[in-house]
Amino acid sequence: MRKTISKDLDSNLVEEKKTLFIIFGGSGDLARRKLYPALFRLFLAGTLNEHFAVIGTSRRSWPDEYYQNIVLDSIAKVNGATQDDRQNFAKHFFYQANDVTDVGHYKVLKHRAREIAQKFQIDGPWLYYLAMAPTLFGTITENLARCEFLENSHPNRLVIEKPFGHDYLSAKTLNEEIQKAFPEKDIYRIDHYLGKEIVQNIVPFRFSNPLIKSIWNSKFISNIQITLAEKVGVEERAGYYEQAGALRDMFQNHISQLMMLSSMEEPVSLEANDFVEQKYRVLASLKPLNQQDLLNNFVRGQYCASKEMPGYREEAGVDPKSNVETFVAGKLELQTPSLKGVPIYFRTGKRLKEKETRIDVVFKAPETGPYLDAKNNVLTIFIDPSSGISLKYNAKSIGDTKILSHFEMQRLYTEEERHQMPEAYQRLFHDVLNGDKTNFVQWEELCASWKLTDQIVNYWHQQPLADSEFYAAGSLGPRSANDLLANDHNYWIYQG
Ligand SMILES: NC(=O)c1ccc[n+]([C@@H]2O[C@H](COP(=O)([O-])OP(=O)(O)OC[C@H]3O[C@@H](n4cnc5c(N)ncnc54)[C@H](OP(=O)(O)O)[C@@H]3O)[C@@H](O)[C@H]2O)c1
């Protein structure tokens, strides 16, 4: 018998969470690479203990033992566990072949789920994780409701992966389908960026330090810049990417989330509803875009071949005449009470110079007084690959001089700290087990981010890519992304 009370992620004492997990897409890549290791870490932490079980399902037929070996393989690289821990964990896993489009299969699945819940004395929630193509989400929730999975005494929670829709209308249709079976309070939409340590730290950092809080407003901030640069190209995802493009793939979800967290007003409490309400208000209050804004404030690009790397149109699975954007940059104007009128710039792209995700908050330089040569203070939140916070400040150059220099105070998480940090999926599972929706995407936010995304995409679709919109693989994107800021007398802080 393992310990029933243990140190939790944040060192609070917690009770074991008695849960039955049903993972749709249990044989898939996401389940193997992310979900099973995350559950194992929760098992090692004691959050999952004796009274939990996982039923993996997909169409292929696997005996339980085979599935348990798959699970053992997927947790092989998790450190800090004994062989007994691994074996004890795997014993909680069961496999049930199930085609989600076949109603008959759900009856078998429900019978099995009941038996397993009884065997492990699970009286807590049943958690349905849809690690599958989103086109099947509606079918699964409808069949779960039809086959009376949701009418039992236990609570039910639904966890779904992105992409949630292709545009506003498809997201709305999907949402309506899902909400026929699950109320919004039981739906957990994952954006794994919200599970990252540093991302979860943006709001505490902004509001728990009176020094920072007092300057995070339009009186002091000149502009905010969000960069999410990828070094990789489209890889094996050409099929999906040809339908999506950079704006849908990165802006609609991750960048929108970073934008909301870095510009939301202080929530009245840390309760999920209060927190999410403030996030949503950022998007809801953005200055509406007119035709002129669409023309002037957004830049798209597509990578073309450089010496060592192929262009997007040469990648396997990509239409040689593809008009899909692999780069976007844009400017939006915040209208929240504290940051009214402050521009927020964003850019993201594939096959850029380096992998780099960060938020640069650029403060105004002095406009009066003797230090007019001082540079802007810049506060950077590094997200990936390094993670932490830095502040660039002016000070006198060392020596017998009055000349100013720019210095940097930096606190990055060490390798050891990063190693000890719970991974995004571990945290997010942990939150679902606690019924905490703070770090999940609510329908209102999704709705607002899709409407904004649609407006830009629809405008672009009217014209094919121009020659000036192509950028060399390995560069920082098209020149027009720099012009976007230069027109406002600003420049990108991150230059690669
Ligand atoms: N992989 C990642 O790192 C990642 C990251 C973020 C989001 N996501 C999202 O997570 C979801 C899953 O991604 P994935 O990479 O794990 O995909 P995947 O490897 O293709 O897995 C898909 C799973 O669905 C099962 N499946 C397909 N059709 C089915 C049906 N009719 N009935 C029952 N099972 C069926 C497949 O097994 P069978 O063929 O045996 O049925 C397989 O287990 C997608 O929405 C993706 O966008 C993935």
Side-chain angles (χ1 to χ4, degrees):
M1 171 79 123
R2 298 174 72 249
K3 54 193 183 294
T4 50
I5 297 218
S6 134
K7 290 253 168 190
D8 179 45
L9 297 178
D10 51 7
S11 297
N12 292 325
L13 287 177
V14 286
E15 280 183 63
E16 158 187 30
K17 298 291 176 193
K18 299 179 182 180
T19 310
L20 178 72
F21 298 83
I22 302 182
I23 301 190
F24 291 89
S27 61
D29 177 67
L30 180 73
R32 295 192 207 199
R33 280 196 311 112
K34 299 287 182 190
L35 307 187
Y36 303 147
L39 291 174
F40 185 46
R41 291 194 181 93
L42 288 172
F43 179 72
L44 293 175
T47 310
L48 298 178
N49 203 313
E50 296 289 311
H51 306 287
F52 87 97
V54 179
I55 303 177
T57 110
S58 58
R59 286 168 303 185
R60 71 198 72 182
S61 173
W62 278 352
D64 286 341
E65 298 71 34
Y66 186 85
Y67 179 52
Q68 287 169 359
N69 281 328
I70 295 276
V71 172
L72 284 170
D73 273 354
S74 77
I75 61 170
K77 287 193 184 137
V78 179
N79 294 324
T82 64
Q83 217 33 48
D84 277 356
D85 287 334
R86 294 176 199 280
Q87 292 296 339
N88 288 337
F89 176 70
K91 281 183 201 155
H92 291 255
F93 283 71
F94 303 87
Y95 185 82
Q96 181 63 50
N98 179 53
D99 184 331
V100 297
T101 58
D102 185 332
V103 184
H105 285 185
Y106 289 79
K107 293 185 180 129
V108 183
L109 181 64
K110 190 170 79 173
H111 181 70
R112 188 103 201 265
R114 280 208 183 125
E115 266 180 9
I116 291 170
Q118 210 165 25
K119 175 175 171 193
F120 287 91
Q121 297 169 7
I122 297 168
D123 54 10
W126 288 22
L127 194 156
Y128 310 89
Y129 199 116
L130 309 193
M132 311 244 330
T135 43
L136 294 168
F137 289 175
T139 308
I140 300 173
T141 54
E142 186 189 347
N143 284 333
L144 286 174
R146 182 182 295 168
C147 298
E148 300 173 351
F149 273 77
L150 312 177
E151 289 170 14
N152 293 306
S153 53
H154 53 77
N156 294 289
R157 290 176 192 156
L158 180 76
V159 185
I160 44 184
E161 277 290 340
K162 76 156 193 151
F164 194 89
H166 177 74
D167 53 16
Y168 168 65
L169 272 183
S170 59
K172 184 168 173 279
T173 306
L174 179 55
N175 204 49
E176 283 165 1
E177 280 172 9
I178 288 172
Q179 287 193 339
K180 279 184 199 154
F182 289 85
E184 177 69 18
K185 75 174 180 50
D186 293 331
I187 302 173
Y188 294 75
R189 297 181 196 83
I190 296 237
D191 181 327
H192 74 275
Y193 265 61
L194 296 179
K196 290 176 184 273
E197 173 69 30
I198 190 68
V199 173
Q200 292 193 354
N201 227 330
I202 296 173
V203 170
F205 174 73
R206 285 185 51 200
F207 295 111
S208 69
N209 298 296
L211 179 76
I212 303 295
K213 182 173 160 177
S214 63
I215 56 168
W216 209 283
N217 54 52
S218 55
K219 186 172 172 201
F220 295 103
I221 293 182
S222 155
N223 65 87
I224 300 176
Q225 306 178 6
I226 298 177
T227 298
L228 204 159
E230 293 187 284
K231 196 172 178 178
V232 293
V234 72
E235 298 189 302
E236 297 88 34
R237 297 171 69 224
Y240 158 74
Y241 205 82
E242 277 282 274
Q243 302 302 316
L247 201 70
R248 290 191 177 101
D249 188 42
M250 290 293 182
F251 170 76
Q252 180 276 323
N253 38 63
H254 308 320
I255 292 181
S256 294
Q257 289 297 330
L258 296 179
M259 210 163 82
M260 288 186 267
L261 293 170
S262 49
S263 55
M264 64 190 263
E265 298 289 308
E266 187 173 22
V268 289
S269 83
L270 297 181
E271 291 299 315
N273 283 346
D274 293 332
F275 193 92
V276 173
E277 164 76 13
Q278 289 303 345
K279 270 173 70 189
Y280 163 68
R281 283 190 189 178
V282 173
L283 291 188
S285 68
L286 281 172
K287 191 174 154 229
L289 303 172
N290 58 32
Q291 287 294 306
Q292 211 52 30
D293 297 328
L294 289 165
L295 175 68
N296 296 335
N297 295 358
F298 300 94
V299 168
R300 66 178 168 171
Q302 189 188 89
Y303 62 87
C304 55
S306 65
K307 266 185 205 150
E308 306 90 34
M309 289 177 274
Y312 178 68
R313 290 177 176 181
E314 282 101 61
E315 302 271 19
V318 171
D319 176 354
K321 291 188 183 147
S322 177
N323 216 25
V324 164
E325 82 284 357
T326 60
F327 177 97
V328 289
K331 167 182 150 178
L332 293 159
E333 193 178 301
L334 296 167
Q335 295 295 319
T336 49
S338 304
L339 290 166
K340 195 168 170 48
V342 172
I344 187 157
Y345 303 104
F346 66 86
R347 63 180 162 169
T348 181
K350 289 200 173 288
R351 283 253 195 265
L352 297 182
K353 201 169 168 187
E354 288 170 341
K355 179 181 168 70
E356 179 80 13
T357 305
R358 59 195 270 163
I359 303 170
D360 293 296
V361 183
V362 185
F363 291 87
K364 292 176 181 169
E367 286 166 5
T368 55
Y371 291 113
L372 293 177
D373 56 335
K375 291 187 179 157
N376 302 75
N377 292 133
V378 180
L379 193 144
T380 302
I381 300 171
F382 295 98
I383 297 170
D384 224 5
S386 46
S387 179
I389 293 173
S390 91
L391 175 68
K392 285 213 173 109
Y393 62 98
N394 298 290
K396 194 184 78 58
S397 300
I398 297 166
D400 188 12
T401 174
K402 290 182 178 168
I403 296 172
L404 293 176
S405 288
H406 226 190
F407 293 88
E408 186 169 10
M409 287 191 275
Q410 197 177 68
R411 167 71 169 99
L412 299 181
Y413 293 116
T414 62
E415 269 309 304
E416 198 187 339
E417 283 171 329
R418 295 188 69 160
H419 203 67
Q420 286 167 357
M421 273 174 198
E423 288 201 331
Y425 278 93
Q426 181 185 352
R427 284 170 203 273
L428 295 174
F429 259 130
H430 180 264
D431 289 351
V432 180
L433 294 176
N434 282 302
D436 181 353
K437 293 192 67 180
T438 311
N439 296 312
F440 294 85
V441 183
Q442 305 300 310
W443 169 240
E444 288 78 11
E445 304 166 61
L446 197 61
C447 199
S449 68
W450 267 128
K451 283 183 179 170
L452 182 59
T453 305
D454 281 359
Q455 221 187 332
I456 306 165
V457 169
N458 293 340
Y459 177 76
W460 280 341
H461 277 184
Q462 294 162 20
Q463 308 111 37
L465 283 162
D467 287 350
S468 61
E469 293 180 304
F470 289 89
Y471 62 96
S475 72
L476 268 175
R479 257 179 75 164
S480 41
N482 294 340
D483 299 341
L484 182 70
L485 276 71
N487 292 342
D488 296 342
H489 308 289
N490 292 322
Y491 62 94
W492 291 106
I493 298 296
Y494 171 67
Q495 298 286 339

